Amino acid sequence: MAKPKKTPRPKAETPKGFRDYFGAEVTQRAEMLSKIAAVYHRYGFDALESSGVETVEALGKFLPDVDRPNEGVFAWQEDADSDKPGDWLALRYDLTAPLARVYAQHQNDLPKPYRRYAMGPVWRNEKPGPGRFRQFYQCDADTVGSGSVAADAEICAMLADCLEEVGIERGDYIVRVNNRKVLNGILDKVADRVFRVDPIDGDSEVIEKSIGVGKSALHSIADDIMRTLDKLDKVGVVGVVELLTDGRQDASGAFIPGLKIPPIAVEGLVKFLNAKAASNSVTISNLREVVKGSKQGEEGVDELEQIADLLDAQGYGPDRIVIDPSVVRGLGYYTGPVFEAELTFEIQDEKGRTRNFGSVAGGGRYDDLVKRFTGQEVPATGVSIGVDRLLAALDAKGRLDKTADGPVVVTVMDKARMADYQGMVADLRQAGIRAEVYLGNPKNIGNQLKYADKRGSAVAIIQGADEHEKGVVQIKDLILGAKIAENATHEEWKDLTNQYEVPLDQMVAKVLEILALYR
């Protein structure tokens, strides 16, 4: 008779693109979220906790094909094997799409404008990479129902306050602001110039063939143009011009095809990129000249000027918030002002190369999202902060508090006296001290102290039979003990002590005294 096959044991490993977070990491994130939430709350935003699962239809970006939704989300179909399959559901990929659904569903019960903040994990079914995970935290704040640029300016000011609240010093960050309408104005000007019928230079039909679109469809390649402009910091102006026109060879020698836009059109785009000046007022003046004649472009510049004036009135100058035409990331999604927070200090990457840390937050005005549900345009603006990116930035700058905050460990010298030890730990906890009784095998005091070290404990408490009889406890300062062991000579070691005998009724006071040295 054949032996039954053993059920294979599951592998104890995290799925690809995910990771586990322990002790200090979880605490650090919770503290950061608390600080950001305090700023949001101070600005008058209310908390919202929406479902982590939405229908794919509500998410909007990703729609199901015959078998499964497109890549980008983690999705499944309810009762997929039944005669009547249910809805496609997906883990949320951001916190903005759920907000649009919530607002459309509950708009009659919500104040207008509706100001909310939300924090929590989101999931992306994308290829993971170094520092890029499929689950990560976002921290959003949005105003829905206000078309005033004052709402956009407020988001920028709040973003700057959040960065400083969590420990990013002024001078180590900049909030950059642009406007989708300005770029649309540039495209209008480009179209007018490219497709102007000229008996000498040729007609629009020739140019249509050269770039593959006609005048009315030039905006259809706007996303491609924006993605190209977004490479400015990587390839410079010359590289951007090559990518807009005939193409270029990258560092590896591979040829990247260009967009085949005529040089006469590229001229306006380059002026747009080069409009940034030392002051917001000069940048705005340069942009106004570039979009002159485009109604939409001029409207966008007016909005940027209003935002700069509103921020200046609140004390947010160009040392913190600047008007910057090079901000093009996300402009395909946004309908008006767009903002991005960038950390300006340098770090060493995993290959030892020096580079700027880069963006940690972004947002802008999106007036079309709620319209998907209601059929009516609802103005909205907001920002999303990448909490994990911020934590990594603070770690790179050495600004994360990694001091051990382990519990005070009450060791067990006599299992029969467990009630006494529990009484000690209760006294410590009632004084607000994090504390625990050792619950492993108490046979060896050395192992108990090793446990305390592994927990990152600053203090261990010992009471054997002799101490119990005298009504005292031994209190070991573990941090000082480690320093003595590491640095002191043998002669110094004999004269130094990290252990104190105190009466039991003075235990709490002595522990507080020691802990105060390390906080």
Side-chain angles (χ1 to χ4, degrees):
M1 183 176 177
K3 292 183 179 180
K5 290 185 178 180
K6 291 184 179 180
T7 303
R9 292 176 180 153
K11 289 183 178 179
E13 60 182 9
T14 53
K16 185 177 180 181
F18 295 85
R19 60 159 297 193
D20 302 310
Y21 297 86
F22 296 90
E25 294 174 303
V26 177
T27 300
Q28 289 161 358
R29 182 198 290 134
E31 290 176 351
M32 176 173 285
L33 291 174
S34 178
K35 290 177 180 178
I36 295 174
V39 176
Y40 287 166
H41 193 264
R42 190 162 70 236
Y43 271 73
F45 288 77
D46 287 332
L48 170 68
E49 187 172 309
S50 61
S51 170
V53 175
E54 297 280 345
T55 65
V56 172
E57 182 182 23
L59 285 176
K61 261 188 178 179
F62 305 92
L63 299 176
D65 56 24
V66 176
D67 298 318
R68 63 177 297 268
N70 295 331
E71 293 182 1
V73 295
F74 289 98
W76 64 96
Q77 188 174 27
E78 286 190 301
D79 302 321
D81 297 329
S82 68
D83 294 335
K84 294 182 179 180
D87 292 333
W88 278 96
L89 303 177
L91 294 173
R92 64 190 181 198
Y93 60 82
D94 70 5
L95 298 176
T96 307
L99 170 62
R101 189 268 303 162
V102 167
Y103 183 84
Q105 183 177 348
H106 301 285
Q107 58 182 310
N108 293 333
D109 302 318
L110 295 173
K112 295 180 178 59
Y114 176 50
R115 298 154 65 82
R116 85 88 174 88
Y117 70 87
M119 302 176 176
V122 297
W123 295 267
R124 304 275 175 91
N125 189 6
E126 299 173 341
K127 184 178 180 180
R132 184 181 181 89
F133 298 100
R134 287 169 165 166
Q135 176 181 319
F136 54 94
Y137 267 71
Q138 285 188 336
C139 194
D140 289 17
D142 297 79
T143 297
V144 183
S146 173
S148 170
V149 293
D152 301 291
E154 179 183 64
I155 292 289
C156 293
M158 187 168 65
L159 177 53
D161 285 357
C162 284
L163 294 175
E164 294 182 19
E165 184 71 21
V166 302
I168 303 297
E169 296 177 353
R170 202 171 298 185
D172 277 344
Y173 76 89
I174 197 75
V175 177
R176 304 186 295 149
V177 188
N178 197 5
N179 197 314
R180 170 64 193 257
K181 294 176 183 177
V182 176
L183 183 60
N184 285 345
I186 299 295
L187 293 177
D188 288 340
K189 296 268 290 183
V190 167
D192 288 342
R193 190 166 187 182
V194 170
F195 292 99
R196 180 184 59 204
V197 176
D198 191 311
I200 298 176
D201 295 334
D203 58 29
S204 61
E205 183 179 351
V206 174
I207 298 173
E208 285 179 27
K209 290 180 180 178
S210 73
I211 64 175
V213 298
K215 179 177 180 179
S216 63
L218 180 63
H219 285 263
S220 68
I221 62 170
D223 287 348
D224 293 329
I225 292 174
M226 285 184 285
R227 278 191 289 270
T228 302
L229 298 180
D230 194 35
K231 294 181 171 63
L232 177 66
D233 59 339
K234 296 180 180 178
V235 301
V237 173
V238 173
V240 167
V241 170
E242 291 173 339
L243 291 172
L244 289 171
T245 53
D246 297 326
R248 73 185 299 268
Q249 280 190 331
D250 65 15
S252 69
F255 182 77
I256 304 172
L259 296 181
K260 300 296 184 182
I261 297 176
I264 194 173
V266 173
E267 180 183 335
L269 294 170
V270 171
K271 285 183 178 179
F272 168 66
L273 289 176
N274 289 334
K276 187 177 183 303
S279 71
N280 285 337
S281 59
V282 176
T283 299
I284 290 168
S285 177
N286 291 342
L287 286 173
R288 199 175 296 284
E289 183 63 30
V290 172
V291 302
K292 188 176 181 180
S294 166
K295 182 178 179 181
Q296 185 174 196
E298 291 175 349
E299 181 181 324
V301 176
D302 287 342
E303 290 178 357
L304 289 177
E305 186 172 38
Q306 291 177 58
I307 289 172
D309 289 344
L310 289 168
L311 290 169
D312 187 61
Q314 300 173 67
Y316 296 87
D319 60 323
R320 289 192 277 177
I321 305 175
V322 297
I323 306 301
D324 189 345
S326 69
V327 181
V328 295
R329 185 178 295 111
L331 278 179
Y333 171 76
Y334 295 110
T335 59
V338 59
F339 8 93
E340 182 177 81
E342 179 183 345
L343 302 188
T344 55
F345 56 79
E346 293 181 339
I347 62 168
Q348 300 291 317
D349 66 14
E350 61 277 3
K351 295 183 179 179
R353 298 170 298 192
T354 300
R355 63 178 181 86
N356 283 343
F357 192 89
S359 175
V360 293
R365 177 162 290 280
Y366 53 97
D367 290 345
D368 296 333
L369 206 58
V370 179
K371 187 177 181 180
R372 293 182 52 251
F373 297 95
T374 64
Q376 298 176 334
E377 187 174 283
V378 178
T381 186
V383 67
S384 179
I385 297 175
V387 175
D388 297 294
R389 288 274 296 165
L390 263 182
L391 286 170
L394 290 171
D395 188 29
K397 290 290 284 184
R399 294 179 190 163
L400 278 183
D401 182 9
K402 295 186 177 181
T403 303
D405 188 26
V408 171
V409 174
V410 176
T411 61
V412 175
M413 305 299 289
D414 183 352
K415 288 193 289 186
R417 294 184 45 243
M418 182 61 75
D420 291 337
Y421 301 129
Q422 292 288 359
M424 293 179 198
V425 86
D427 289 340
L428 292 166
R429 290 168 180 166
Q430 288 172 13
I433 300 170
R434 188 181 182 210
E436 66 174 79
V437 175
Y438 180 73
L439 297 176
N441 186 345
K443 186 176 181 180
N444 189 317
I445 183 62
N447 287 341
Q448 295 189 54
L449 294 177
K450 287 180 181 179
Y451 169 81
D453 286 335
K454 200 164 188 177
R455 293 300 313 275
S457 303
V459 172
I461 294 174
I462 302 169
Q463 190 189 59
D466 292 342
E467 287 85 7
H468 177 60
E469 186 175 335
K470 292 193 296 182
V472 300
V473 294
Q474 299 289 338
I475 299 178
K476 290 183 72 72
D477 181 335
L478 299 176
I479 295 178
L480 178 58
K483 290 180 179 178
I484 293 173
E486 182 179 353
N487 300 314
T489 66
H490 181 69
E491 291 301 317
E492 290 172 331
W493 179 82
K494 289 192 298 183
D495 296 328
L496 294 173
T497 181
N498 69 309
Q499 185 164 315
Y500 313 93
E501 181 177 283
V502 300
L504 181 60
D505 61 2
Q506 295 179 26
M507 174 189 70
V508 171
K510 186 61 179 179
V511 170
L512 286 171
E513 178 186 322
I514 294 172
L515 293 179
L517 298 173
Y518 306 112
R519 290 177 178 170

